[in-house]
C-alpha cells in the first residue's frame, strides 16, 4: 500500500456501546499519524450515497461516554449487490479515501471483504453486544450490555421476591448465548436457556424450579436468549407444567443503549488505535481483535472463517451454582 493520506470510518449493523469511543480513537490516532479522517454516516449505505462528514479532534470531543454512534448505523441491501458495491468504490475514489475502518459485526466484515476485493483496503473493528465474532475473544459493547441486563434483572428480583413469583427475562442473542450465560451467572438465575444447548424443558426448566423450591426458594429467575424462543412461550409452558404464573420481561433494545463501561471504552480505544496504525504501517484488509488479552490482526477472509463456541465450563459452573440454592 502507498502511504495513506485519507481514510474513512463507519459504523454498521446493530449499534453497540463503545462505538463512539472507537470512532474517537480512529480520528485522534489518524491525526497523530498525519492522516485525514472522513466519517461515513449510516454505514455501507452512506458510503453508497456519499453521506459523509469531515472529522477532527473537536468533532469527536466529549463522545467517549456516549452510547450509540454519532455516525449513525443502518443495514444496506443495496451494498449486498455488485452494483451497490461499485457505487461505494466510486464514492471512495471521489473523496480520495485510501482505506475504510469498518466498526461492526460479522455482517459488516463480510461487506468489508467484498469491498476489499474491489481494491479498497478495509480494517475491521468488532463491535456487537452478542460477542459472537469468531476471531476475537471480546467485542465492543458486550460488557455494557451485560451490566445493563444485570441492573434490570436485579430490579426485577426485588419485586419478584416481594410477591414470591417466577420471572422469565429475555435477553438478546439470536445465534449466540454469551450474553444470556454471562448475565445468568451474574444474577444467580434459576435456569439459563441458550441456543447452543438443546432445550430439554422438563430438565432445564421444570426440574430446576422444583429443585429450587425444595431448597427453600419462593422466587425463580429464568434467563432466555432470544435465539432459544419467545420468553412469552416459555412462560406459558411453565404455567402449564407447574401451575405458577410467571411474569415475562423482554429487555429488547434497552440492552444496546447507555453509557459504555470502562472496559468497553478502553477496549474500543485500543482497537481504534491499532486499526489506524495498521493503515499507517501499510497493512489493510485485516480485523483487529483480542486474543489472550493482547491485540491481534487477522486477514479478513481468515477471520470470517473462525468460529467461537460457548464456554461450556461457564455453563457447568452456572449449573453447579444452582444446586441447593437458598437465596
Amino acid at each position: 500500500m502507498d502511504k495513506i493520506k485519507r481514510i474513512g470510518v463507519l459504523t454498521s449493523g446493530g449499534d453497540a456501546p463503545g462505538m463512539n469511543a472507537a470512532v474517537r480513537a480512529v480520528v485522534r490516532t489518524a491525526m497523530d499519524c498525519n492522516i485525514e479522517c472522513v466519517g461515513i454516516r449510516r454505514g455501507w449505505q452512506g458510503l453508497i450515497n456519499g453521506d459523509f462528514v469531515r472529522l477532527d479532534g473537536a468533532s469527536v470531543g466529549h463522545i467517549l461516554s456516549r452510547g450509540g454512534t454519532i455516525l449513525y448505523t443502518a443495514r444496506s441491501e443495496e451494498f449486498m449487490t455488485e452494483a451497490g458495491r461499485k457505487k461505494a468504490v466510486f464514492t471512495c475514489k471521489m473523496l480520495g479515501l485510501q482505506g475504510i475502518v469498518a466498526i461492526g459485526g460479522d455482517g459488516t466484515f463480510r461487506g468489508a471483504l467484498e469491498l476489499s476485493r474491489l481494491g479498497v483496503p478495509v480494517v475491521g473493528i468488532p463491535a456487537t453486544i452478542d460477542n459472537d465474532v469468531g476471531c476475537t475473544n471480546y467485542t465492543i459493547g458486550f460488557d455494557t450490555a451485560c451490566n445493563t441486563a444485570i441492573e434490570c434483572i436485579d430490579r426485577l428480583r426485588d419485586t419478584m421476591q416481594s410477591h414470591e413469583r417466577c420471572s422469565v427475562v429475555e435477553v438478546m442473542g439470536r445465534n449466540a448465548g454469551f450474553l444470556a450465560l454471562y448475565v445468568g451467572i451474574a444474577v444467580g438465575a434459576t435456569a439459563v436457556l441458550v441456543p447452543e444447548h438443546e432445550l430439554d424443558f422438563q430438565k432445564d426448566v421444570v426440574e430446576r424450579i422444583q429443585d429450587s423450591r425444595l431448597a427453600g426458594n419462593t422466587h425463580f429467575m429464568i434467563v432466555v436468549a432470544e435465539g432459544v424462543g419467545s420468553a412469552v412461550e416459555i412462560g406459558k409452558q411453565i404455567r402449564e407444567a407447574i401451575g405458577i404464573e410467571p411474569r415475562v420481561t423482554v429487555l429488547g433494545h434497552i440492552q444496546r443503549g447507555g453509557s459504555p463501561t470502562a472496559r468497553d471504552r478502553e477496549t474500543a480505544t485500543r482497537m481504534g488505535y491499532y486499526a489506524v496504525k495498521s493503515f499507517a504501517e501499510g497493512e489493510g484488509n485485516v480485523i483487529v481483535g483480542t486474543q489472550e488479552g493482547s491485540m491481534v490482526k487477522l486477514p479478513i477472509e481468515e477471520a470470517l472463517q473462525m468460529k467461537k463456541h460457548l464456554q461450556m465450563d461457564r455453563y457447568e459452573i452456572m449449573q453447579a451454582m444452582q444446586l441447593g440454592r437458598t437465596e
Side-chain angles (χ1 to χ4, degrees), residues 25-324:
V26 167
V27 173
R28 296 202 170 184
T29 306
M31 292 173 61
D32 187 59
C33 295
N34 295 314
I35 298 173
E36 292 183 61
C37 194
V38 175
I40 307 299
R41 293 179 291 206
R42 299 175 179 85
W44 296 123
Q45 191 62 44
L47 190 60
I48 290 173
N49 297 336
D51 186 359
F52 67 93
V53 59
R54 294 288 293 270
L55 295 176
D56 56 24
S59 60
V60 295
H62 309 294
I63 68 170
L64 187 63
S65 62
R66 288 171 57 182
T69 163
I70 64 167
L71 294 179
Y72 310 110
T73 182
R75 303 184 191 277
S76 174
E77 292 186 8
E78 188 177 4
F79 190 76
M80 296 172 67
T81 68
E82 184 178 357
R85 291 190 290 271
K86 286 183 176 179
K87 289 181 182 178
V89 172
F90 173 78
T91 299
C92 290
K93 291 180 178 179
M94 178 185 68
L95 298 178
L97 302 180
Q98 297 167 279
I100 298 288
V101 176
I103 306 169
D106 270 337
T108 300
F109 300 148
R110 294 189 190 283
L113 177 61
E114 294 300 324
L115 191 65
S116 71
R117 287 171 173 167
L118 294 176
V120 180
V122 184
V123 174
I125 295 177
T128 166
I129 67 169
D130 288 344
N131 198 31
D132 61 349
V133 176
C135 64
T136 181
N137 295 146
Y138 186 80
T139 62
I140 297 167
F142 178 69
D143 189 61
T144 305
C146 284
N147 279 280
T148 298
I150 289 166
E151 181 179 359
C152 291
I153 291 173
D154 283 347
R155 290 173 182 267
L156 280 172
R157 187 185 295 282
D158 291 342
T159 185
M160 187 174 62
Q161 288 176 323
S162 299
H163 294 275
E164 298 183 332
R165 283 176 176 159
C166 173
S167 184
V168 181
V169 179
E170 182 180 305
V171 300
M172 286 187 168
R174 191 176 305 279
N175 300 308
F178 297 100
L179 182 63
L181 182 56
Y182 196 99
V183 168
I185 292 174
V187 300
T190 307
V192 179
L193 310 183
V194 295
E196 293 88 344
H197 180 79
E198 186 176 356
L199 176 62
D200 181 333
F201 187 78
Q202 178 65 29
K203 180 180 178 181
D204 297 333
V205 180
V206 173
E207 292 181 11
R208 289 287 171 182
I209 292 175
Q210 291 171 338
D211 290 345
S212 181
R213 183 67 187 92
L214 287 171
N217 295 302
T218 56
H219 58 277
F220 318 100
M221 174 64 67
I222 314 299
V223 176
V224 183
E226 63 180 325
V228 175
S230 165
V232 173
E233 291 303 316
I234 297 293
K236 289 179 180 178
Q237 291 181 57
I238 291 173
R239 183 177 63 248
E240 292 170 1
I242 305 178
I244 59 177
E245 187 69 37
R247 294 295 185 265
V248 176
T249 303
V250 179
L251 295 184
H253 285 79
I254 192 173
Q255 296 160 92
R256 292 195 184 279
S259 180
T261 61
R263 182 178 185 184
D264 279 327
R265 298 184 198 190
E266 192 269 350
T267 301
T269 300
R270 286 197 294 149
M271 285 183 173
Y273 172 85
Y274 278 96
V276 176
K277 281 295 185 180
S278 181
F279 275 135
E281 294 164 3
E283 183 180 11
N285 303 332
V286 297
I287 295 176
V288 176
T290 65
Q291 292 184 4
E292 307 300 331
S294 299
M295 288 290 162
V296 296
K297 293 181 289 186
L298 296 168
I300 295 178
E301 196 160 2
E302 175 186 333
L304 285 173
Q305 293 174 357
M306 299 174 71
K307 303 295 181 184
K308 181 188 288 187
H309 302 287
L310 193 69
Q311 306 96 323
M312 294 312 294
D313 62 323
R314 279 202 171 107
Y315 193 81
E316 293 168 2
I317 290 168
M318 179 270 297
Q319 290 182 312
M321 294 300 102
Q322 294 165 348
L323 298 176

